[in-house]
Amino acid sequence: VQPVESGGDSVQAGRSLRLSCLVSGYIYTKFCLGWFRHAPGKEREEIAVIDADTTTYQDSVKGRFVIFKDYHKDTLYLQMSRLKSEDTGMYVCAASRDYCWRRQFEYWGQGTQVTVSP
């Protein structure tokens, strides 16, 4: 299983982007998938995670970002709206062999860069 992200871009504040993460070979359809962000000078942040029971968002993106899955396409998405400059960073997709409450991810992608200019 190797997550592969795409969809990152450089955009102006207020615009929208949709990130995709192809997770081929991932058979754990009930278990956790998530998006994380690496920003310069900051630790990795959890942006949103989803499993069969729950969906959780970081407070700063609630109401603006939506995480969802398309099982038929083996793809995880992050719909990002009303982007802000503080959303800038490398967005990385991760997959787990367990539910989100354990916060243990075995598979990580390389990331896709999102840059939001004022």
Side-chain angles (χ1 to χ4, degrees):
V1 178
Q2 177 58 58
V4 179
E5 304 91 337
S6 62
D9 203 349
S10 295
V11 297
Q12 288 187 318
R15 302 298 293 268
S16 298
L17 277 177
R18 176 177 290 187
L19 306 183
S20 301
C21 176
L22 179 62
V23 194
S24 299
Y26 182 72
I27 64 173
Y28 310 103
T29 56
K30 297 187 299 182
F31 293 155
C32 195
L33 294 168
W35 286 98
F36 296 78
R37 179 172 66 209
H38 295 264
K42 296 184 180 180
E43 294 187 357
R44 184 179 66 200
E45 302 175 274
E46 177 185 296
I47 300 301
V49 295
I50 184 170
D51 63 22
D53 296 333
T54 189
T55 303
T56 305
Y57 296 92
Q58 187 192 81
D59 286 345
S60 69
V61 306
K62 286 181 180 177
R64 298 190 299 122
F65 291 10
V66 178
I67 185 172
F68 62 100
K69 300 181 288 186
D70 185 329
Y71 292 106
H72 298 295
K73 295 182 179 179
D74 292 338
T75 301
L76 176 73
Y77 298 95
L78 185 67
Q79 179 67 46
M80 311 164 70
S81 303
R82 303 196 304 279
L83 283 161
K84 305 176 181 180
S85 55
E86 51 263 44
D87 295 322
T88 293
M90 180 70 74
Y91 283 73
V92 179
C93 170
S96 174
R97 295 198 300 260
D98 210 328
Y99 287 97
C100 289
W101 68 270
R102 289 198 176 273
R103 290 302 194 278
Q104 292 179 353
F105 294 87
E106 289 79 13
Y107 310 106
W108 293 86
Q110 296 297 309
T112 185
Q113 178 68 34
V114 173
T115 302
V116 184
S117 56

